[in-house]
Amino acid sequence: MDHPPSPTTSSDRLKETWRHALVLSFQTLGVVYGRLSTAPLYVFGTIQTKDFKSNEIAYEYFSFIFWTLTVVSLLKYAFIVLRADDNGEGGVFALYSLLCRHAKVGLIPNDTSTNEVMQHEEENTFRGKVESRARRAIKNHRSSHYLMLFTALFGACMIIGDGVITPSISVLSASSGLQRSLSEIKYSSSPDAQGAISDALKKYVPVPSACVITVCLFILQHYGSHKIGFMFAPIVTIWLLFIGGVGIYNIFHWNPEIFSALSPVYMYRFVRNINKDRWKSLGSILLCIAGSETMFTDLGHFSKRSIKRTFVCLIYPVLILCYAGQAAFISKHWNGPENFNHLSESIPEHLRHVFILLSLLASAVGSQATITASFSIINQCRALSCFPRVKVIHTSDKRHGQVYIPDVNWLLMALSLSITLGFHDITRIANAAGMAIVFGMIVTTCMMSLVMALYWEKSLFISGFFLMFFGFVEAVYVSACMLSFHKGAWYLFVLLAVSFTVMLAWHYGTMKKYEFDLQNKVSTEWLTDYSPSLGVSRVPGIGLIYTDIVMGIPAFFSHFITNLPAFHQVLIFVSFKPQPVPCVPPSQRYCVGRVGGKDYRIYRCIVRYGYCDQVRDTDDFEEQIIGSIGEYISLDESDCESLTSPEGRMVIVGTPLLEGHALIPVDDTNLFSGSTNAGNNETLAIPEGELIGRNAPVRRKKVRFLIPESSPRLRVSVRDELQELINARESGTAYFLGQSHLTVRDGSNFFKKFLIMAYVFLDKNCREPPVALNIPHAALVEVGMVYII
């Protein structure tokens, strides 16, 4: 007996909402803000000590840090960019998906028939809005579509590059502090022996310890953002309280007048006395906003409210106090000890050992934000046909954006270790990190200005002002970073060239393959009308044909019929179509229609999914497809349409429920048989230690379908069709997959040959297409074809 729900007041719901928001805010500390929180470890420390020629220089640098944090992190990201989420998802590809839907600039492979529902939804949402001149101009110029795609791919590559570089610089900076602390210990009374020990510590402590911490960090990634957030958040909280308290101490102990540097006058003085070395040092100042982009990219893991409130109420004020305290210390010691610009030197001596321990832990946590952002952006690229097939694991059933990608995780670890071992210099790594940060921000600025103009429908003046203002600030830092291109920043462009080539080649190969399928498809009349006269026979069972096209017969299946003139009693053409949205509602998941007349028993099912959906990675996928066909058959009778439905006309069918009125799935675990049929997609349960003979009874587990007896309104013809579908399922299921072999047409240019060769290499070495999990090998039919592109 169901108990009635207890009444809840609005205050109870408010408390629950606030409780959930506080939990998410606490988790953001361990995942999103680790990078921003550990930036003080290397911002001042990567500036050359020779650049500090007076105490005024510390004022000028702090003024740049304050206004950069305020303008970029606080104003741009916390108050503006976070509002441009795509149904809870963030990042450059979320902005690109908004433009794909609302400005019609998408290059994702799609047929017009699959867009009918989306267009209908958009017409209902934006009914009454007049299409602007800018939207029409961008929509009609295909070159702008490619430019936006390349811009989105470029931004994604920058985020991935940042995910490679950040673990290296964060951990190496902390381990270098450990080395300096160990070097201060007096091991010998002999100056020569003490110097030799210090040199050995400098050589053997920072890099090995950084490598060990980096490996441990990546090993923990499989726990997911939820658990990692709870594990790392206490560390970041203690770290923030520590550096905030030390900052307040340094301000009042060394130089309380440091807050006068909040005036922009000090930035003007810096620019007035600028030279090449001082301008180059702005690349180090840029690192103070490292991690701001991940506030937006990691949006799918948390919520806008939790990310924004945590930054405004905790992260921003603590960082300002920390940088102010360090600047106050530097202003009094700029001509003192050798490493006066490192954060560890500004820590009181009795707290140095506590600082070393916290910095090692916090530096490992600081890398989490960019690693999580890399997972999110690659998952979005993969779903939009811009990244090779990789295994994606959803680590939370409540937040769709919390994902873990094992293949990418180990690749990021290997590349990060290569940077640590190859450069072993914080300054060189910082140059590459600064370049990745500022280029990623420029891409967000450009895409955001287009979203403001085309989606928010703001005036061109507002969107143009946003682009010019923030673009100018970021262009200043780009010019500073380019001066250090030969000192480490070049490595970022190597990563960019490789990752951009992979993404572009995969997208280009996918597009060309899809275009070939469209050009070489066979009309449905060939299968329904002409094949019987050619002696094609029907065999019992269901044939599931996986294809990328949504109209016509795929070329590989017509090739199969030509060589083996037979196909199954029931045919279902299944197509997976990505949509530029995070998630497609279950009620709009399947689009089902007929191929030919009712008597042919040939259906088409289009499975629509967003870039955060995992509809193909389920064990009951076949049952869902058959259930949706059953629902369509029961709905088809009330549509009053003729015996032959036109090809391409689909009916929306939601995810079938257990109490559906067409077919009822029943778990059948008590069937015994002397043989097994692999085509039935069954799992065998064999007791351990029991030897089963060839004809011994085997217990098998299978989902069967029944027609509900409580549906007398179904016509006899509909019941017969449903029963025939059930009988075909009992006879077995075969899965048809097309295996494409791409070759380049003679006379093609080098660029095309290179992209196709790269696509073929990636296609052979990445994971198999996840059309459905656990397909029995005995029921799988692969048909190979040569695609001449």
Side-chain angles (χ1 to χ4, degrees):
M1 179 177 177
D2 295 331
H3 298 279
S6 59
T8 56
T9 62
S10 58
S11 60
D12 293 333
R13 289 192 297 268
L14 184 62
K15 288 181 181 179
E16 183 179 357
T17 302
W18 273 96
R19 188 183 303 112
H20 182 64
L22 287 175
V23 170
L24 287 179
S25 299
F26 180 71
Q27 289 179 307
T28 59
L29 291 173
V31 177
V32 179
Y33 291 116
R35 177 79 185 278
L36 268 170
S37 302
T38 55
L41 285 171
Y42 43 79
V43 172
F44 278 111
T46 54
I47 301 176
Q48 298 294 327
T49 55
K50 64 180 181 180
D51 293 334
F52 293 92
K53 299 179 180 178
S54 67
N55 63 340
E56 290 290 317
I57 301 298
Y59 283 71
E60 295 169 1
Y61 281 139
F62 175 64
S63 183
F64 262 98
I65 291 174
F66 172 78
W67 286 106
T68 302
L69 268 173
T70 302
V71 171
V72 178
S73 300
L74 183 65
L75 180 60
K76 175 186 172 182
Y77 281 96
F79 288 106
I80 300 178
V81 176
L82 282 180
R83 297 172 55 199
D85 67 301
D86 185 17
N87 293 331
E89 290 292 324
V92 291
F93 258 81
L95 299 177
Y96 177 68
S97 71
L98 288 175
L99 295 173
C100 287
R101 295 202 306 277
H102 303 288
K104 305 294 188 254
V105 299
L107 293 171
I108 302 172
N110 238 337
D111 274 352
T112 56
S113 58
T114 60
N115 292 330
E116 289 179 358
V117 177
M118 298 300 295
Q119 291 175 358
H120 177 70
E121 293 170 357
E122 291 173 6
E123 288 174 1
N124 292 337
T125 305
F126 296 95
R127 185 172 295 172
K129 290 187 177 181
V130 180
E131 190 175 32
S132 64
R133 182 182 302 176
R135 186 181 295 176
R136 288 197 304 269
I138 292 178
K139 178 181 177 181
N140 296 330
H141 288 80
R142 195 165 180 81
S143 58
S144 63
H145 302 185
Y146 285 103
L147 179 61
M148 291 185 188
L149 174 64
F150 292 161
T151 304
L153 292 179
F154 180 82
C157 293
M158 289 295 106
I159 294 175
I160 296 172
D162 198 17
V164 172
I165 297 171
T166 298
S168 178
I169 185 175
S170 298
V171 178
L172 187 59
S173 60
S175 59
S176 298
L178 173 63
Q179 171 262 317
R180 286 191 297 271
S181 179
L182 294 176
S183 298
E184 293 176 357
I185 301 176
K186 191 173 182 62
Y187 298 96
S188 175
S189 57
S190 171
D192 294 337
Q194 182 70 22
I197 294 175
S198 298
D199 293 339
L201 290 174
K202 186 176 182 180
K203 183 177 181 181
Y204 295 109
V205 170
V207 174
S209 60
C211 292
V212 172
I213 296 174
T214 301
V215 171
C216 295
L217 172 66
F218 282 98
I219 290 177
L220 292 175
Q221 294 305 311
H222 73 277
Y223 287 106
S225 302
H226 182 76
K227 294 182 179 179
I228 289 178
F230 277 115
M231 284 191 294
F232 288 174
I235 299 175
V236 177
T237 303
I238 297 174
W239 167 257
L240 287 171
L241 295 177
F242 182 83
I243 62 175
V246 171
I248 295 174
Y249 168 81
N250 286 331
I251 292 171
F252 289 99
H253 186 265
W254 296 111
N255 191 358
E257 298 179 356
I258 191 64
F259 282 113
S260 63
L262 300 182
S263 172
V265 174
Y266 286 92
M267 289 198 303
Y268 170 73
R269 294 178 182 176
F270 181 89
V271 176
R272 185 182 60 186
N273 301 320
I274 200 69
N275 55 44
K276 183 178 179 181
D277 292 334
R278 298 185 68 187
W279 191 260
K280 189 186 301 184
S281 65
L282 289 180
S284 298
I285 300 299
L286 171 67
L287 298 176
C288 72
I289 53 176
S292 300
E293 181 71 24
T294 58
M295 293 167 58
F296 183 48
T297 308
D298 290 340
L299 188 58
H301 294 252
F302 302 99
S303 65
K304 287 188 290 186
R305 178 184 298 180
S306 62
I307 292 176
K308 181 177 179 180
R309 289 182 176 176
T310 305
F311 180 79
V312 174
C313 299
L314 180 62
I315 303 298
Y316 178 74
V318 168
L319 288 180
I320 295 300
L321 291 174
C322 177
Y323 287 120
Q326 192 176 2
F329 176 84
I330 293 175
S331 66
K332 299 299 182 180
H333 299 82
W334 61 273
N335 57 353
E338 179 182 359
N339 297 316
F340 65 88
N341 57 332
H342 288 271
L343 180 62
S344 58
E345 296 296 324
S346 64
I347 305 297
E349 291 188 5
H350 61 282
L351 296 177
R352 290 279 177 90
H353 299 295
V354 178
F355 169 78
I356 294 300
L357 177 62
L358 285 177
S359 64
L360 286 173
L361 295 175
S363 62
V365 177
S367 310
Q368 185 60 43
T370 54
I371 297 173
T372 305
S374 300
F375 292 158
S376 298
I377 202 70
I378 288 176
N379 183 44
Q380 296 175 11
C381 294
R382 178 194 63 87
L384 297 180
S385 303
C386 294
F387 200 84
R389 296 181 296 269
V390 291
K391 182 180 181 180
V392 177
I393 300 175
H394 282 251
T395 58
S396 173
D397 56 354
K398 297 179 181 179
R399 305 289 303 182
H400 289 286
Q402 294 188 4
V403 295
Y404 165 65
I405 308 177
D407 304 334
V408 175
N409 182 64
W410 305 126
L411 180 61
L412 291 177
M413 185 188 73
L415 293 174
S416 182
L417 290 175
S418 68
I419 294 178
T420 304
L421 295 172
F423 287 107
H424 54 267
D425 181 14
I426 299 176
T427 303
R428 291 179 177 271
I429 302 175
N431 293 333
M435 192 80 73
I437 294 166
V438 70
F439 274 119
M441 290 182 173
I442 287 180
V443 170
T444 300
T445 299
C446 296
M447 301 289 284
M448 188 66 200
S449 63
L450 291 174
V451 169
M452 295 174 69
L454 303 177
Y455 176 44
W456 290 354
E457 296 190 347
K458 301 294 183 180
S459 64
L460 293 179
F461 173 78
I462 295 178
S463 59
F465 178 79
F466 178 88
L467 177 63
M468 296 299 295
F469 177 73
F470 292 105
F472 172 77
V473 174
E474 291 155 0
V476 170
Y477 285 110
V478 167
S479 62
C481 292
M482 292 303 294
L483 295 176
S484 303
F485 177 83
H486 62 290
K487 294 184 178 180
W490 58 268
Y491 183 80
L492 176 67
F493 285 87
V494 174
L495 289 177
L496 170 66
V498 175
S499 57
F500 191 85
T501 301
V502 169
M503 292 184 178
L504 184 61
W506 188 262
H507 184 77
Y508 182 80
T510 303
M511 288 284 294
K512 289 300 179 180
K513 179 182 175 182
Y514 181 74
E515 292 174 0
F516 183 90
D517 287 333
L518 285 180
Q519 296 171 0
N520 293 273
K521 67 180 181 181
V522 180
S523 64
T524 56
E525 289 78 9
W526 180 88
L527 183 64
T528 57
D529 298 338
Y530 302 146
S531 59
S533 61
L534 299 176
V536 178
S537 58
R538 307 290 290 267
V539 297
I542 294 179
L544 290 175
I545 299 97
Y546 293 95
T547 174
D548 291 331
I549 61 176
V550 297
M551 291 185 67
I553 308 302
F556 78 85
F557 189 68
S558 63
H559 177 68
F560 173 79
I561 297 298
T562 303
N563 291 274
L564 185 62
F567 57 88
H568 290 79
Q569 172 189 357
V570 174
L571 281 184
I572 304 175
F573 292 94
V574 181
S575 301
F576 295 95
K577 285 300 162 187
Q579 301 295 328
V581 294
C583 301
V584 175
S587 59
Q588 300 175 2
R589 177 80 67 202
Y590 301 100
C591 296
V592 184
R594 296 185 186 275
V595 178
K598 291 185 177 182
D599 294 336
Y600 291 110
R601 303 296 191 256
I602 303 177
Y603 309 94
R604 188 181 302 279
C605 180
I606 300 175
V607 185
R608 304 188 310 146
Y609 64 97
Y611 52 75
C612 289
D613 286 327
Q614 291 294 315
V615 297
R616 294 180 287 185
D617 293 349
T618 56
D619 293 327
D620 59 346
F621 177 74
E622 180 188 337
E623 285 75 21
Q624 293 182 13
I625 292 293
I626 296 175
S628 65
I629 298 295
E631 293 292 327
Y632 167 77
I633 294 173
S634 65
L635 294 174
D636 194 30
E637 67 161 338
S638 61
D639 286 344
C640 299
E641 55 185 4
S642 60
L643 292 178
T644 57
S645 300
E647 169 73 315
R649 185 174 181 179
M650 317 297 289
V651 175
I652 303 174
V653 177
T655 302
L657 303 176
L658 291 176
E659 57 271 13
H661 63 275
L663 295 177
I664 300 179
V666 178
D667 289 334
D668 190 352
T669 58
N670 297 318
L671 295 179
F672 290 87
S673 174
S675 61
T676 61
N677 188 348
N680 288 339
N681 198 19
E682 302 157 359
T683 58
L684 305 181
I686 304 175
E688 185 178 359
E690 180 178 348
L691 183 62
I692 299 181
R694 181 175 181 179
N695 296 321
V698 178
R699 187 178 184 181
R700 59 189 184 184
K701 182 180 179 181
K702 173 183 175 181
V703 175
R704 303 185 64 182
F705 289 95
L706 299 176
I707 301 176
E709 298 180 357
S710 59
S711 298
R713 62 184 181 85
L714 294 177
R715 292 204 305 259
V716 176
S717 59
V718 175
R719 282 183 169 274
D720 292 342
E721 188 172 359
L722 290 174
Q723 188 61 49
E724 189 171 349
L725 179 64
I726 294 174
N727 295 337
R729 171 71 194 289
E730 294 295 327
S731 299
T733 303
Y735 304 83
F736 292 85
L737 300 179
Q739 283 290 342
S740 59
H741 303 277
L742 272 65
T743 60
V744 184
R745 194 183 306 274
D746 294 337
S748 300
N749 56 59
F750 172 78
F751 182 70
K752 182 177 181 179
K753 291 181 179 179
F754 175 75
L755 290 180
I756 294 299
M757 289 174 58
Y759 173 81
V760 172
F761 174 79
L762 294 171
D763 188 44
K764 289 182 178 180
N765 291 277
C766 67
R767 292 183 178 269
E768 292 295 324
V771 292
L773 273 181
N774 302 327
I775 294 180
H777 293 288
L780 179 62
V781 180
E782 294 184 321
V783 183
M785 282 196 65
V786 177
Y787 287 32
I788 302 178
I789 306 299

